[in-house]
């Protein structure tokens, strides 16, 4: 992390004089546009987001609904070749994730074959026992995955996290592109950028494809309600897919069939894209105090009468303890070498790894396998001597609860800041859709940027922003028919 | 349309209408009391409380009676479910939950009205209260204008239905209180104060000049009753509410091909009003007649909730 200059997505590893091949038009645009004009356009974008109400709530704030995530006007960019490689890796990984979930709730061959230890699957808080009694329609579990990637060099992409439950953020991919098309149309003349606006249509097709019944499936999007921080995204997606946005109280289960209450009577529901956690889905099976869910929903799912997107129990695939086994999991189910590597991970449950971690505590990030949101985490390079000692003791006492990873020098992208254009660290979340007919990925995703100088924290709750993510079309395919001379 | 969305829209309409009615009630009462002496002023504020059915709740909330305390209670009180603030908060909550079914204009009008009153802690003196109420009425007119520009379909009809049901209830209560609680003892019917009170009543339903157009001669109680019950030209009359209820429910029926108990009740009520006249009503007793109307209105409200599965 410290010291060496990070790889820059526009300028590469070099001195910053010449852009990476194919990105010259973006560099020229950035050099030619007066900084004041850049600032004006950025403000116009943020004003548009505010009036559209593209907001997120931070729990506990009185006027929570009024916040927007900062938007940065300078896009991050992928070449066609980079994207092809990435999407092959994503497809492979998500295919393996679905096969893995299917296996652990069924035959558990991967445990029998000794690839993954039984206790970290069956003893995992994310292992959903009720899911063992059923199968989702078409055997798809993780229909929508948001795979968080980071980059450290020209060919070094790493998977940081697999979000296989209810990943959010796709509305920013779409709205950021809208803003860029309106405010910087000249960039789209200069660069053959692949469109992303087919996402709602692809998602709708994915939902339709996993319907348990035949014919025209009734799909709905289920939200916890308008107080939820991601409600804007829920209503945006439902609107753009042309499906109903429902809450738990709009649904009822009768004889294992799910119905939606409308002014013209009950309408049978086939597919539920739910943006509500497993724990709240069905008070009869999970948290009994949940007022957000639908009593009987799990019974309907187990009876095969409704598809839940994503299926319950997918959390077992994005758990931190499981994550460290992902390369083995990919190899096991696909018979191929993983195309996208994990960040190197030391499982402290293994004596050799523990020894290494204890010896290098000041250089590593150590995480609780069942922790999230930064709890129970040690960032070695930033810790005091005393903190290192205390943490080392805790680690020795219960090594099986921890994993460790090296700190990474995340790539940067030129970003508009108060002191001019400066490099800021980014990550990237593409959205991978899996339906009955295979895996589809829209060429784009959500780029999150840490707006503080040197910061590696891209979370929106901690001052992170977003950028548009350009994926360039195949230079040989002539994507800009009326622009070439 | 989801039943929950329909319920949210219906209640958005009802609460916006109630907010306007309470605003007009406060405005008219301030104007009335600026004319008379103290005792009469107190009487006017007491009757304002009864019009919105809040007399008992006001006492139960431990409020001590004064024109200023009633003014605050009717405009800003959080304990009073019929205060303007409470109505706007609920209208906004319902609108927010059904945000995707609203146009930007409708949402903005509701939100602006809410923002005017949200941070207000005191209504201030009579003039300040009048200014507040004036600003709120303007936003509520903006809401009605935005509603008129909406696509003529279920979303618009549910809000409109909420408005006309609420409007019928409000007008009936106003008339009832005027006839049986408002007349101060010892005052000659038709005297000076009485005339002021009648004009105040017309002002609340924004019909002072309209009355002059339809009736010649001095203000007469039975004519005002005729006006507010039977004249279809008058948008806030009971027959207008009854008519609009029927035609809105017919719009739904035309769209879905189905009718229900709400349609039947609403048509029965309209027939009954249209077959009657003010003399018959006075003979039966206006108070009883108005109570029947309020009860019937409640039954139609229930039937609407059942028919469209508000849940």
């Amino acid at each position: 992390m410290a010291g060496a200059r990070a790889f820059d997505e526009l300028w590469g590893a070099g001195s910053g004089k010449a852009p990476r091949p194919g990105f010259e038009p973006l560099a020229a645009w950035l050099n030619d546009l007066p900084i004041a004009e850049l600032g004006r356009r950025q403000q116009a974008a943020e004003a548009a987001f505010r009036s559209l109400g593209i907001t997120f709530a931070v729990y506990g704030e009185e006027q929570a609904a009024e916040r927007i995530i900062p938007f940065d006007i300078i896009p991050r960019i992928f070449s066609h070749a980079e994207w092809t490689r990435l999407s092959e890796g994503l497809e492979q990984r998500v295919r393996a994730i679905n096969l893995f979930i299917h296996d652990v709730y069924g035959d558990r061959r991967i445990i029998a074959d000794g690839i993954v230890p039984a206790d970290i699957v069956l003893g995992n808080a994310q292992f959903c026992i009720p899911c063992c009694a059923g199968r989702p329609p078409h055997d798809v579990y993780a229909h929508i995955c948001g795979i968080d990637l980071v980059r450290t060099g020209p060919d070094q992409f790493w998977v940081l996290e697999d979000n296989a439950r209810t990943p959010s953020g796709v509305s920013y991919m779409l709205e950021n592109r809208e803003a860029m098309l309106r405010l910087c149309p000249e960039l789209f003349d200069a660069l053959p950028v692949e469109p992303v606006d087919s996402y709602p249509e692809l998602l709708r097709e994915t939902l339709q494809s996993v319907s348990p019944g035949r014919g025209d499936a009734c799909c709905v999007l289920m939200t916890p309600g308008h107080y939820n921080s991601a409600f804007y995204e829920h209503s945006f997606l439902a609107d753009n897919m042309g499906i109903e946005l429902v809450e738990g109280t709009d649904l009822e289960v009768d004889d294992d069939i799910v119905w939606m209450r409308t002014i013209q009577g009950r309408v049978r529901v086939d597919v539920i894209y739910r943006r509500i956690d497993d724990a709240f889905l069905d008070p009869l099976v999970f948290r009994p105090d949940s007022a957000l869910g639908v009593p009987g929903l799990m019974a309907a799912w187990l009876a095969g009468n409704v598809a839940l997107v994503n299926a319950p129990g997918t959390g077992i695939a994005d758990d931190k303890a499981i994550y460290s086994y992902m390369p083995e999991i990919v190899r096991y189910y696909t018979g191929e070498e993983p195309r996208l590597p994990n960040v190197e991970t030391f499982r402290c449950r293994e004596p050799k790894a523990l020894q290494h971690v204890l010896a290098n505590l000041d250089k590593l990030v150590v995480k609780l396998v069942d922790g999230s949101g930064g709890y129970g985490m040690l960032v070695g390079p930033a810790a005091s001597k005393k903190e290192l000692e205390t943490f080392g003791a805790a680690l020795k006492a219960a090594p099986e609860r921890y994993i460790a990873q090296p700190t990474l020098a995340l790539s940067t992208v030129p970003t508009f800041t108060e002191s001019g254009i400066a490099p800021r660290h980014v990550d990237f979340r593409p959205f991978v859709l899996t339906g009955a007919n295979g895996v589809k990925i829209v060429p784009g995703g959500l780029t999150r940027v840490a707006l503080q100088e040197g910061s590696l924290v891209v979370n929106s709750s901690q001052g992170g922003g977003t950028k548009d993510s350009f994926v360039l079309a195949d230079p040989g395919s002539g994507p800009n028919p009326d622009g070439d001379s | 349309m989801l039943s929950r969305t329909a319920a949210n829209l219906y209640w958005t309409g009802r609460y916006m209408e109630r907010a306007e009615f309470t605003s007009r009630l406060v405005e008219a009462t301030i104007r009335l009391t600026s004319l008379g002496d103290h005792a009469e002023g107190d009487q006017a504020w007491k009757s304002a409380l009864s019009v919105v059915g809040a007399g008992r709740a006001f006492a139960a909330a431990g409020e001590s009676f004064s024109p200023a305390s009633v003014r605050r209670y009717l405009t800003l009180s959080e304990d009073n479910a019929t205060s303007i603030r409470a109505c706007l908060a609920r209208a906004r909550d319902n609108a927010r939950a059904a945000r995707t079914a609203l146009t930007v204009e409708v949402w903005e009008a509701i939100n602006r009205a809410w923002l005017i009153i949200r941070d207000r802690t005191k209504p201030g003196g009579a003039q300040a209260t009048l200014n507040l109420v004036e600003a709120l009425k303007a936003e509520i007119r903006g809401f009605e204008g935005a509603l008129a520009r909406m696509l003529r379909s279920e979303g618009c009809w549910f809000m409109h239905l909420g408005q006309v049901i609420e409007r019928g209830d409000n007008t009936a209560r106003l008339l009832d209180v005027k006839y049986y609680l408002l007349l101060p003892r010892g005052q000659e019917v038709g005297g000076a104060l009485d005339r002021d009170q009648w004009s105040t009543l017309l002002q609340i339903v924004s019909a002072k000049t309209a009355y002059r157009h339809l009736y010649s001669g001095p203000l007469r109680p039975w004519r005002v009753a005729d006006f507010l019950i039977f004249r279809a030209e008058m948008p806030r009359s009971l027959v207008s509410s009854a008519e609009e209820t029927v035609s809105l429910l017919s719009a739904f029926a035309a769209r879905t091909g189905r009718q229900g108990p709400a349609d039947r009740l609403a048509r029965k009520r309209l027939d009954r009003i249209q077959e009657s006249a003010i003399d018959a009503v006075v003979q039966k007793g206006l108070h009883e007649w108005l109570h029947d109307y309020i009860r019937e209105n409640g039954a139609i409200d229930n039937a609407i909730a059942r028919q469209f599965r508000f849940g």
Side-chain angles (χ1 to χ4, degrees), chain A residues 245 250 261-264, chain B residues 1-4 93 258 309:
Chain A
L245 179 64
D250 298 323
R261 293 192 190 97
T262 81
I263 57 172
Q264 295 182 56
Chain B
M1 174 178 281
L2 286 177
S3 299
R4 175 178 49 83
D93 239 25
R258 266 184 284 177
R309 300 167 178 81

Side-chain angles (χ1 to χ4, degrees), chain B residues 198-215:
Chain B
W198 287 114
S199 8
T200 306
L201 185 151
L202 288 174
Q203 206 177 350
I204 295 172
V205 294
S206 56
K208 208 165 145 187
T209 45
Y211 177 88
R212 296 283 178 210
H213 283 286
L214 291 176
Y215 301 88

